[in-house]
Amino acid sequence: MDVNQLEHLMRNLAIKETRTNSLDVLESKLADVDQEIYEVMLCSEGLFKFLADANSDQHTTASRIIYDKALEFFPNGSVVIDQFIERCLTHPKNTVKQFGLRGAAAMVYHSAAISPNNIQLIILHCLPMKEVYVNTLLTVLVKSLPPIFTEPVVQKNLVSVLEFDETIRCRVYEIVCTILETHPAYLQLADPIIARALIDLEKDDVLLQTSVLQILTQLLATKEGYDYVEAHDLFRKVCTNFVPDKVTPYVRFVLPNALKFLASAALIQPALFLARHPGWVTFMFDMTSPEDPMLMAIAYDCLGMVGSSSEGKVFLNYQKLKMEKFLKEFPGVLHSTLEAYKVRLIECLTNLLSGGSEPIDNMISTITQEWYETMTESNHLDMVQELFKVPFPNIKMAALKLLSVIIDHRWGQLFFQNTAGFSELLLNRRMDNDVNVAQFKYDVIKKLSQCAALDSFVGNTLKQYVSEGAFYRKAVVEVAIEGDQ
């Protein structure tokens, strides 16, 4: 393709009646476009007239044409593509700005550089837009901002966007909190933005409170974030404002995110947090009743999070009566609950029975054994076996994960051996109808084959399975007999 042919196509792109056909022709001739012609195309006025008037499908096609070629010619980024994206981002039409955002995303997704100036333009022109590819926007900024996050102009521009409505502010909060998950050293720098989020959390707006709580939970991914939240007395405020004596329709809306916020704190500093804020755990035990399935599932999620650490297990074990009631009710609740919640309940139990740190502490192993025996009134794994028999892959996988943590304990290995038919059930390859389940089952069997507590016969059978691999199929030999029809 030469310059004259390109200019002809660009003129036709700007005309509504010839636009679609010209776009198809351009895409079909893309292999003939060299770098020089490509750079001419990016500067074409016809291209920008097209982008201003094109529909969504045409933008998608144009995105393939322009940005795939950009990555071919400039895999590490280039001033040429930066200038094109800048021109898009500063265009008066929002659809063209979004096209520039697509370009920035294409470069970022493929680890190609985009200019700091374009990052600033995305903050100023795309972040406040009502209609925008939100996930694309957030991903681009989360990936691009950390190297320049400390620059005053970046902070100034982010803070300036907080003057828009709550939806836009929540985008800023999410970007900043996501960055802080991996860059906690920026916490003090981000204080003005987080402080604004804390103000929004106290507003009488249930939707805003729910969104802000969910976003602020990301701060609890690090000890630094935990310390920041603790210093601002947010744990007490959440417990006081959102974990009430009685669940009202208003509180019910915010409560799931409030409980997950508190449970996330218990993951980071379990002993300290649970000692200072024990009351909400009592509330969670009360919420495990199946009367409200949604809140019940949240309560199970959070109890599992609390009980996933050794310190959390010790704390829960001190709640003797509540824990005993919870465990004895668990099998019945699991049996009767909706299919949508079964996996979450099994995952809760998996967290509670996990060994935690390596090697497993004897006290933790004793606690988990007592919990299992209280729950099932047995010394075998019939309950786990029955779950594994369920034909749904997600429940099979959850059952295998439960089995995997149980056999980390010596008592679990012995209980497995006490379970009639369980090893034969696991070794039956005819049940392997899902690739992921089959692979994880193989991993569990491999772990079992290394368990010293099992009888040698069982261990050798398991080792034979392991030696054959996860997807072994026994060959079927057919013998043809002369004269058969």
Side-chain angles (χ1 to χ4, degrees):
M1 181 185 293
D2 59 28
V3 173
N4 290 332
Q5 290 173 314
L6 176 69
E7 289 178 347
H8 176 72
L9 279 174
M10 291 298 104
R11 284 194 297 271
N12 285 340
L13 274 179
I15 301 170
K16 183 177 181 180
E17 290 74 17
T18 58
R19 183 173 298 150
T20 300
N21 183 59
S22 299
L23 198 60
D24 292 340
V25 171
L26 180 59
E27 188 169 27
S28 68
K29 294 182 177 294
L30 203 55
D32 300 329
V33 175
D34 60 23
Q35 185 172 328
E36 182 180 352
I37 295 295
Y38 176 76
E39 292 183 15
V40 171
M41 179 178 71
L42 293 187
C43 298
S44 168
E45 289 301 323
L47 176 60
F48 279 89
K49 288 180 182 177
F50 156 74
L51 290 175
D53 297 331
N55 61 36
S56 176
D57 289 340
Q58 290 165 345
H59 269 174
T60 299
T61 304
S63 178
R64 287 199 306 270
I65 293 170
I66 293 173
Y67 297 131
D68 287 0
K69 211 65 179 174
L71 289 165
E72 177 186 329
F73 290 139
F74 314 113
N76 298 315
S78 164
V79 172
V80 173
I81 194 65
D82 278 335
Q83 288 174 344
F84 173 77
I85 291 174
E86 178 180 342
R87 193 172 172 188
C88 289
L89 294 173
T90 54
H91 195 278
K93 289 202 71 170
N94 284 349
T95 53
V96 183
K97 290 186 178 76
Q98 292 219 61
F99 192 83
L101 176 62
R102 277 188 177 189
M107 304 306 284
V108 168
Y109 291 163
H110 291 85
S111 301
I114 59 173
S115 70
N117 182 59
N118 280 342
I119 299 172
Q120 302 282 19
L121 291 174
I122 291 170
I123 294 172
L124 292 172
H125 297 310
C126 296
L127 193 51
M129 282 169 54
K130 288 286 187 183
E131 295 183 8
V132 68
Y133 306 119
V134 176
N135 289 338
T136 301
L137 171 67
L138 299 185
T139 301
V140 168
L141 290 176
V142 166
K143 286 179 175 289
S144 304
L145 273 175
I148 60 172
F149 193 78
T150 58
E151 294 183 10
V153 67
V154 171
Q155 294 301 312
K156 178 185 175 183
N157 288 338
L158 286 171
V159 170
S160 72
V161 179
L162 296 178
E163 298 308 312
F164 290 84
D165 65 29
E166 62 273 9
T167 301
I168 307 302
R169 291 201 301 276
C170 282
R171 291 178 190 170
V172 179
Y173 303 153
E174 185 168 354
I175 290 164
V176 170
C177 288
T178 304
I179 290 172
L180 292 176
E181 281 189 86
T182 51
H183 298 82
Y186 294 158
L187 255 168
Q188 292 307 315
L189 192 64
D191 182 67
I193 294 170
I194 305 301
R196 183 63 182 271
L198 297 179
I199 292 172
D200 276 343
L201 189 60
E202 296 188 2
K203 291 184 176 178
D204 190 19
D205 183 333
V206 66
L207 290 174
L208 181 58
Q209 289 173 327
T210 301
S211 298
V212 171
L213 257 181
Q214 183 176 7
I215 293 166
L216 290 178
T217 301
Q218 294 175 265
L219 292 179
L220 300 174
T222 65
K223 183 180 181 300
E224 294 89 342
Y226 177 97
D227 292 341
Y228 180 92
V229 171
E230 181 76 278
H232 286 77
D233 200 25
L234 189 53
F235 295 131
R236 184 192 61 79
K237 291 177 181 177
V238 170
C239 288
T240 302
N241 297 336
F242 304 119
V243 184
D245 295 329
K246 182 179 180 181
V247 177
T248 64
Y250 172 87
V251 168
R252 188 181 183 278
F253 201 87
V254 188
L255 188 57
N257 284 348
L259 291 177
K260 287 181 179 179
F261 177 83
L262 297 170
S264 297
L267 284 175
I268 299 299
Q269 293 276 36
L272 181 63
F273 178 76
L274 293 169
R276 291 180 177 176
H277 309 282
W280 69 283
V281 179
T282 300
F283 179 83
M284 280 200 304
F285 275 117
D286 294 339
M287 288 297 100
T288 57
S289 166
E291 295 173 5
D292 188 328
M294 188 272 286
L295 284 184
M296 177 200 72
I298 295 292
Y300 273 86
D301 291 343
C302 294
L303 280 172
M305 291 170 72
V306 171
S308 63
S309 67
S310 296
E311 298 93 332
K313 287 178 173 61
V314 172
F315 175 85
L316 291 176
N317 200 49
Y318 280 127
Q319 321 294 312
K320 284 290 185 185
L321 294 178
K322 290 183 175 61
M323 199 64 189
E324 183 176 333
K325 180 176 182 292
F326 166 77
L327 290 167
K328 287 184 175 180
E329 291 177 351
F330 184 93
V333 173
L334 179 61
H335 177 74
S336 62
T337 195
L338 298 172
E339 291 296 327
Y341 298 126
K342 284 188 187 295
V343 170
R344 291 168 68 177
L345 268 60
I346 299 169
E347 287 174 347
C348 167
L349 186 59
T350 301
N351 283 329
L352 291 174
L353 297 180
S354 64
S357 59
E358 293 286 346
I360 296 174
D361 185 277
N362 286 336
M363 178 179 66
I364 297 303
S365 196
T366 300
I367 289 173
T368 54
Q369 181 177 353
E370 288 176 355
W371 285 354
Y372 186 86
E373 290 174 341
T374 299
M375 178 178 64
T376 64
E377 298 181 340
S378 70
N379 63 350
H380 51 67
L381 302 183
D382 280 2
M383 187 187 83
V384 184
Q385 184 178 24
E386 290 304 311
L387 288 172
F388 182 68
K389 289 179 180 178
V390 175
F392 303 119
N394 60 337
I395 294 182
K396 276 187 177 297
M397 181 67 85
L400 284 169
K401 290 179 179 178
L402 175 59
L403 175 61
S404 183
V405 301
I406 287 175
I407 60 174
D408 284 336
H409 305 279
R410 190 174 188 280
W411 65 263
Q413 298 166 24
L414 296 174
F415 282 21
F416 172 80
Q417 189 161 264
N418 293 342
T419 311
F422 204 173
S423 60
E424 291 82 0
L425 181 67
L426 285 176
L427 295 170
N428 184 355
R429 295 182 184 272
R430 287 178 297 178
M431 297 182 65
D432 297 347
N433 299 318
D434 181 274
V435 172
N436 294 325
V437 172
Q439 180 61 59
F440 195 80
K441 186 182 81 166
Y442 173 83
D443 295 338
V444 173
I445 291 174
K446 185 175 182 180
K447 182 190 285 190
L448 275 166
S449 72
Q450 298 166 353
C451 293
L454 299 182
D455 290 343
S456 59
F457 173 77
V458 176
N460 290 336
T461 307
L462 296 169
K463 288 174 183 175
Q464 174 65 28
Y465 183 101
V466 172
S467 69
E468 293 170 347
F471 305 105
Y472 170 79
R473 285 290 182 270
K474 188 174 182 179
V476 178
V477 179
E478 294 185 359
V479 179
I481 301 175
E482 187 175 354
D484 279 0
Q485 298 297 319

